């Protein structure tokens, strides 16, 4: 049976803004307070989805969330009508209003960890929504994420959904941003690679000194247990704490894997040799031949990686077995990175082509091409069981573009977030979106 990697891209929500909310994420910190352009952000994301679809890749779309999150503000003690909740938060606690307005759910690599059916004990595709509990603005995503994923992958014969892990730092879970899967074919059993930043219960693992390590070993292990993964199908590795301290807040900022290939920076991991040997051995048992492409620090520094998002690229398999990298335009702007990429694609290796995308609106908050997509490996039967409303087609691209043009503002600054009209605009837009994507009622304002 045929199998595919389907990329579900997060549609940027109408409140996309630069809130400076993510300590440890250099772009989020340095662009704080700039005004944003939500319309442009959404159109940039849609253009990437369309381009991949036109290149012949399976492409889907994941809906944004209801923002401002009035219910979250109510839980923090702001009362009255919805408009009053927003006014009171703006007056007394602007940072909380900003957090409740974040469109951060666009970075769907953090929405969940997904294990394909070939890896799991019950032969279903498993999803665990990420608790994202390191940052308040992201910790409020998972209930809606679970409802949206449930509406997209509703067939219980093929899809199993797990609630987010306990919402404490010891089980900090950032979803697929710290998870990669290696396999020979997407439909065959593979090796799931979980990268953690620290251990919550075992102090033998070093931790970063400056910035938080968002993913814990214990969270990764819990996800592997929930998904029913076999020990032979799992490898755990620790992210180098020094690179977290240089702004590598997720492993997908310094490594990306696909098929049998891991593309990574020399400084990405601790105990790299041991990790590579384990990946090679376990993938060999699954019938695959592990290959790694290490980018030396002499060619590209960690700082280059953080600024250019070279590793936050999408590594895609083409029908002839070669691979393609989808990179943000910031890679072209960095001389060392661009020189490296020219050398890589002309060296006769597996990665033959680089395609550049303008994702500046998302990049300015630390979200590159790989952050914007959640990969779900599916066989033909499973793909047929996905809600067809969320699979990208030329007509759907047309409808979504028209929807963005109709509802989105082209400028948003912090003061605009306090405008109760913005809430109404967002709800009107999202109500229409659930009809376009055939999701049913998934948002708090549609349910309560
Ligand atoms: O969690 N930025 C996101 C970026 C997530 C990138 N995802 C992956 N690497 N997979 C984060 O730090 C910034 C929001 C703001 O500051 O307005 C933010 O949430």
């Amino acid at each position: 049976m045929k199998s595919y990697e389907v990329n579900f891209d997060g549609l940027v929500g109408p409140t996309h803004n630069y809130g400076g909310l993510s300590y440890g994420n250099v772009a989020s910190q340095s662009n704080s307070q700039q005004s944003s352009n939500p319309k442009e952000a959404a159109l940039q994301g849609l253009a990437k989805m369309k381009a991949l679809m036109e290149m012949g890749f399976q492409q889907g779309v994941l809906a944004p969330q209801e923002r401002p999150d009035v219910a979250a503000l109510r839980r923090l003690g702001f009362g009255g009508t919805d408009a009053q909740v927003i006014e009171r938060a703006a007056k007394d606690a602007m940072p909380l209003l900003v957090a409740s307005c974040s469109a951060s759910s666009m970075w769907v690599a953090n929405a969940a960890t997904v294990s394909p059916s070939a890896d799991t004990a019950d032969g279903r595709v498993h999803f665990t929504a990420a608790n994202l509990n390191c940052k308040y603005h992201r910790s409020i995503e998972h209930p809606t994420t679970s409802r949206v994923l449930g509406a997209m992958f509703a067939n219980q014969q093929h899809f199993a959904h797990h609630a987010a892990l306990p919402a404490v730092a010891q089980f900090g879970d950032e979803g697929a941003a710290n998870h990669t899967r290696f396999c020979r074919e997407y439909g065959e059993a593979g090796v799931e690679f979980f990268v953690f930043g620290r251990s919550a219960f075992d102090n033998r693992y070093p931790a970063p000194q400056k910035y938080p390590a968002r993913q814990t070993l214990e969270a990764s292990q819990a996800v592997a247990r929930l998904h029913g993964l076999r020990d032979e199908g799992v490898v755990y590795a620790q992210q180098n704490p020094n690179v977290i301290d240089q702004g590598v807040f997720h492993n997908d900022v310094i490594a990306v894997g696909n098929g049998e290939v891991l593309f990574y920076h020399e400084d990405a991991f601790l105990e790299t040799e041991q990790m590579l040997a384990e990946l090679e051995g376990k993938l060999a048992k699954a019938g695959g031949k592990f290959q790694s492409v290490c980018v030396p620090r002499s060619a590209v520094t960690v700082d280059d990686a953080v600024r250019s998002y070279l590793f936050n690229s999408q590594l895609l398999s083409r029908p002839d077995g070669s691979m393609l990298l989808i990179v943000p335009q910031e890679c072209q702007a960095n001389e060392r990175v661009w020189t490296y990429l020219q050398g890589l694609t002309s060296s006769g290796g597996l990665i033959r082509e680089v395609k550049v995308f303008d994702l500046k609106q998302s990049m300015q908050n630390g979200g590159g091409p790989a952050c914007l997509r959640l990969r779900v490996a599916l066989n033909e039967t499973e793909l047929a069981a996905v809600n067809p409303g969320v699979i990208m087609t030329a007509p759907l691209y047309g409808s979504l573009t028209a929807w963005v043009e109709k509802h989105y503002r082209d400028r948003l600054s912090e003061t605009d977030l306090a405008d109760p009209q913005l809430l109404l605009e967002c709800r009107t837009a999202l109500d229409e979106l659930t009809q376009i994507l055939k999701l049913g009622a998934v948002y708090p304002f549609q349910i309560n």
Side-chain angles (χ1 to χ4, degrees):
M1 195 184 325
K2 265 189 149 173
S3 52
Y4 310 88
E5 175 186 275
V6 189
N7 281 281
F8 290 87
D9 275 46
L11 184 57
V12 178
T15 59
H16 160 63
N17 73 95
Y18 300 118
L21 299 169
S22 280
Y23 179 65
N25 167 343
V26 177
S28 152
Q29 293 287 278
S30 50
N31 293 306
S32 142
Q33 308 295 325
Q34 270 201 43
S35 63
S36 62
N37 185 335
K39 184 177 282 186
E40 187 176 57
L43 295 176
Q44 286 174 344
L46 280 165
K48 173 163 91 75
M49 296 184 224
K50 177 171 180 265
L52 264 70
M53 174 191 72
E54 288 176 346
M55 284 183 242
F57 296 105
Q58 296 285 345
Q59 181 67 53
V61 59
L62 223 151
Q65 304 213 347
E66 178 187 341
R67 297 288 181 271
D69 189 334
V70 176
L73 289 170
R74 288 188 188 282
R75 285 197 297 278
L76 297 177
F78 300 100
T81 63
D82 288 347
Q84 285 168 334
V85 166
I86 290 169
E87 278 159 22
R88 287 171 185 167
K91 185 167 152 284
D92 297 343
M94 195 58 192
L96 298 184
L97 177 63
V98 174
S100 83
C101 288
S102 178
S104 54
S105 68
M106 71 171 90
W107 299 297
V108 294
N110 306 116
T113 307
V114 187
S115 295
S117 57
D119 294 351
T120 63
D122 67 2
R124 293 190 293 169
V125 183
H126 282 246
F127 299 81
T128 296
N131 62 25
L132 297 175
N133 86 320
C134 182
K135 308 285 174 212
Y136 171 70
H137 71 289
R138 304 221 59 184
S139 71
I140 57 179
E141 291 175 26
H142 70 85
T144 297
T145 300
S146 289
R147 280 194 299 275
V148 172
L149 289 175
M152 294 166 68
F153 303 95
N155 184 320
Q156 292 182 14
Q157 194 191 331
H158 295 297
F159 307 120
H161 295 273
H162 305 278
L165 298 177
V168 290
Q170 286 154 317
F171 290 106
D173 179 19
E174 299 280 318
N178 282 55
H179 173 260
T180 301
R181 175 175 184 263
F182 299 102
C183 60
R184 192 173 59 175
E185 295 287 339
Y186 294 119
E188 293 177 6
V191 178
E192 300 205 12
F193 180 48
F194 290 86
V195 182
F196 58 94
R198 68 184 179 99
S199 165
F201 294 98
D202 187 340
N203 58 17
R204 283 173 303 177
Y205 296 93
Q209 301 296 306
K210 185 176 171 197
Y211 292 144
R214 298 194 195 185
Q215 179 86 31
T216 68
L217 169 63
E218 292 76 8
S220 299
Q221 290 169 328
V223 171
R225 272 191 299 271
L226 285 166
H227 292 194
L229 305 181
R230 303 157 303 131
D231 285 346
E232 319 84 79
V234 176
V235 172
Y236 299 100
Q238 182 168 9
Q239 214 185 331
N240 180 350
N242 292 333
V243 300
I244 297 180
D245 280 339
Q246 290 173 71
V248 182
F249 58 99
H250 286 137
N251 180 59
D252 69 3
V253 176
I254 199 143
V256 58
N258 171 47
E260 297 170 310
V261 179
L262 172 66
F263 178 59
Y264 71 102
H265 189 273
E266 183 177 3
D267 294 327
F269 306 102
L270 289 183
E271 314 287 356
T272 309
E273 291 309 315
Q274 188 187 317
M275 172 201 94
L276 293 173
E278 203 184 341
L279 285 169
E280 188 179 346
K282 289 192 171 174
L283 190 58
K285 282 198 189 127
K289 191 175 174 337
F290 180 70
Q291 299 168 53
S292 58
V293 180
C294 174
V295 180
R297 68 178 83 87
S298 57
V300 173
T301 65
V302 172
D303 187 57
D304 290 327
V306 170
R307 285 174 196 279
S308 68
Y309 265 41
L310 165 62
F311 298 94
N312 201 259
S313 46
Q314 285 178 257
L315 185 57
L316 301 169
S317 299
R318 301 196 289 196
D320 68 357
S322 71
M323 290 194 184
L324 159 72
L325 264 185
I326 302 290
V327 302
Q329 64 182 16
E330 284 72 5
C331 286
Q332 207 164 15
N334 181 308
E335 208 179 308
R336 273 186 301 275
V337 169
W338 195 242
T339 304
Y340 174 81
L341 283 172
Q342 302 298 304
L344 177 71
T345 49
S346 57
S347 66
L350 211 53
I351 304 174
R352 304 266 166 79
E353 196 188 350
V354 169
K355 280 206 185 293
V356 179
F357 282 82
D358 178 3
L359 297 163
K360 188 161 182 241
Q361 285 289 324
S362 166
M363 283 289 289
Q364 292 188 142
N365 250 341
C371 301
L372 285 163
R373 59 95 172 95
L374 182 67
R375 299 186 280 188
V376 185
L378 298 168
N379 64 33
E380 266 174 322
T381 314
E382 292 155 356
L383 182 55
V386 177
N387 179 342
V390 299
I391 300 295
M392 189 54 79
T393 58
L396 179 60
Y397 172 77
S399 310
L400 291 174
T401 306
W403 172 81
V404 170
E405 293 285 0
K406 176 175 161 196
H407 294 286
Y408 280 48
R409 298 190 187 189
D410 59 12
R411 191 175 189 284
L412 210 57
S413 60
E414 195 178 280
T415 45
D416 298 318
L417 303 177
D419 174 7
Q421 183 59 31
L422 183 66
L423 173 68
L424 297 179
E425 282 172 32
C426 292
R427 286 182 174 170
T428 306
L430 293 180
D431 212 27
E432 206 174 301
L433 182 69
T434 49
Q435 291 166 42
I436 297 173
L437 299 179
K438 303 189 173 51
L439 289 174
V442 289
Y443 296 118
F445 76 92
Q446 296 174 315
I447 296 166
N448 301 324

